[in-house]
Amino acid sequence: MRIGLIRHGLTDWNALGRIQGHSDIPLNDEGRRQAGLLAERLVNERESVQWDFIVASELSRAQETAQIIADRLHIPLLEPDQRLKERSFGQVEGLTWQEREEKWGADWETLELGQEKVEDIQARGLEFLNHTMEQYPEQNILVVSHGGFLSQLFTLLLKEAHTERIGNLSLTVLERTEQEWTTILYNNIQHLQ
């Protein structure tokens, strides 16, 4: 069983450096183009891995990314999964790095500003993976989610091997072997270059 974890395509807020969280910001034209490039890559790699279906967060930027890929690969797009939703950032949503620092200082991440706790994000991510593995043990699944969510999931699964910011339309492929997930591909964006 393989799971391909994808961060959604670019949005206007991504381009401006604004934290999106649960704010439902749509893809921009560049994000749509990126999704098409990844879809084309996956079509060209069909001999090495055949993807059975795709599932995404309910937020429109993830849903549209998933739909573009599903259409190109001719695979089903399942109903959205709540567990894949981006981290809620509370009062921080919509603000740039500079605005966050001006308002709360350089250590804003350590403050209680209504953001979802890391442990809760990791728990729902692991619950999604375990449930999916039990439900579809012999299938290869594409998942479209969000940078904050994926970063916390990778911190849990990959430990110190997770060292990079998760790029828009990056692909990470995990394979389930015995009792653990192994990394086949990590935060790869070769299709965008």
Side-chain angles (χ1 to χ4, degrees), residues 78-89:
L78 302 187
E79 289 297 312
D81 193 309
Q82 284 281 346
R83 295 169 294 191
L84 299 173
K85 198 169 186 176
E86 177 61 295
R87 178 183 190 181
S88 172
F89 283 95

Side-chain angles (χ1 to χ4, degrees), residues 7 27 30 101 131 148 153 186:
R7 182 181 176 197
L27 290 182
E30 176 61 14
E101 286 202 358
H131 179 258
L153 182 60
Y186 171 64

Side-chain angles (χ1 to χ4, degrees), residues 9 16 24 29 42 48-49 66-67 89 92 96 114 118 123 131 149 153 155-157 168 170 179 184:
L16 294 170
D24 199 8
D29 289 340
L42 296 174
S48 59
V49 61
Q67 189 67 64
F89 283 95
V92 180
T96 64
V118 167
H131 179 258
F149 172 83
L153 182 60
T155 297
L156 178 68
L157 296 176
N168 286 102
S170 67
Q179 298 300 313
I184 305 296

Side-chain angles (χ1 to χ4, degrees), residues 48-191:
S48 59
V49 61
Q50 181 71 41
W51 298 103
D52 296 299
F53 62 84
I54 191 165
V55 63
S57 150
E58 67 183 18
L59 295 172
S60 63
R61 58 192 182 268
Q63 279 293 303
E64 187 176 2
T65 300
Q67 189 67 64
I68 291 167
I69 295 168
D71 289 349
R72 185 68 183 91
L73 292 177
H74 305 292
I75 58 174
L77 171 58
L78 302 187
E79 289 297 312
D81 193 309
Q82 284 281 346
R83 295 169 294 191
L84 299 173
K85 198 169 186 176
E86 177 61 295
R87 178 183 190 181
S88 172
F89 283 95
Q91 298 174 52
V92 180
E93 287 190 22
L95 302 179
T96 64
W97 188 269
Q98 183 178 349
E99 290 167 339
R100 297 187 297 265
E101 286 202 358
E102 285 172 3
K103 196 165 186 173
W104 296 294
D107 294 330
W108 66 268
E109 290 183 86
T110 64
L111 303 174
E112 287 292 329
L113 300 169
Q115 64 269 47
E116 186 179 3
K117 295 188 181 344
V118 167
E119 304 79 37
D120 295 340
I121 301 162
Q122 291 176 337
R124 66 181 163 92
L126 197 56
E127 180 186 316
F128 170 80
L129 285 179
N130 290 336
H131 179 258
T132 302
M133 184 186 64
E134 290 168 11
Q135 196 171 8
Y136 307 103
E138 303 297 321
Q139 294 184 292
N140 297 319
I141 301 143
L142 289 170
V143 173
V144 181
S145 189
H146 306 271
F149 172 83
L150 291 172
S151 183
Q152 294 307 328
L153 182 60
F154 296 160
T155 297
L156 178 68
L157 296 176
L158 310 179
K159 311 282 188 263
E160 56 278 346
H162 170 51
T163 57
E164 304 169 7
R165 182 183 170 279
I166 304 303
N168 286 102
L169 251 297
S170 67
L171 174 63
T172 297
V173 179
L174 304 178
E175 185 173 60
R176 183 67 185 194
T177 57
E178 299 297 323
Q179 298 300 313
E180 66 180 7
W181 292 97
T182 28
T183 310
I184 305 296
L185 193 66
Y186 171 64
N187 199 24
N188 188 281
I189 55 166
Q190 74 180 41
H191 46 280

